[in-house]
Amino acid sequence: MAVIRRMAGSPATPGGFTLVEVMVALAVVAIALPALLMSLHQQVDGTAYLRDKSLAHMVAANKLAETRILSAARQSLLKGKDSGVAEMAERDWYWWLESTATEVQEFYRIEIHVAASEEQRDNPLYTLVAFLSADLNTDSPVDASGV
């Protein structure tokens, strides 16, 4: 078995960290940890915002599809304003629809705004703009062969 001897005048090998080293490490952690937590909080907020915006998009797309179906069934396009509440993902979504004429005859601009609450009407979460023709009549009937 080999015995290690310390020579006179040589420094002793340190057995651990000094108090100053520990304090510096704690200061670095104390500065970095709040920044990391703030970044994590922003990521969570961003994810919730994107979820809500995606759901609002689906509500607007559903309302546009419903408007197209009702217009085809009534053979007339909705003109003016409409509003209501739709349920999606177990939440109520408030929507406002406005139909305005364009410079092109028989062509309307449909604007659908969707928000999570009625108070957010001036600042909606999502706005969908579409253009629909008021000419809902088909010129040529389709026969059984699809031609």
Side-chain angles (χ1 to χ4, degrees), residues 27-123:
V28 168
V29 168
I31 291 170
L33 193 59
L36 180 65
L37 289 175
M38 182 64 88
S39 175
L40 180 64
H41 185 266
Q42 288 174 345
Q43 287 287 335
V44 170
D45 280 351
T47 303
Y49 173 75
L50 289 176
R51 179 202 61 222
D52 288 350
K53 192 161 179 116
S54 296
L55 289 171
H57 167 75
M58 286 188 259
V59 169
N62 286 348
K63 188 61 193 167
L64 179 61
E66 180 183 326
T67 301
R68 285 180 173 162
I69 291 169
L70 289 175
S71 296
R74 291 186 305 211
Q75 289 295 310
S76 69
L77 191 61
L78 169 74
K79 296 175 180 100
K81 296 181 179 183
D82 193 11
S83 64
V85 179
E87 186 177 333
M88 169 100 35
E90 298 179 3
R91 290 175 56 189
D92 287 337
W93 296 92
Y94 296 85
W95 56 266
W96 299 271
L97 183 143
E98 184 175 357
S99 176
T100 55
T102 63
E103 294 177 1
V104 179
Q105 187 177 356
E106 298 295 315
F107 208 65
Y108 286 83
R109 180 178 197 259
I110 308 290
E111 197 168 314
I112 303 169
H113 302 282
V114 180
S117 69
E118 206 165 358
E119 292 79 31
Q120 294 176 332
R121 181 180 182 140
D122 295 333
N123 190 19

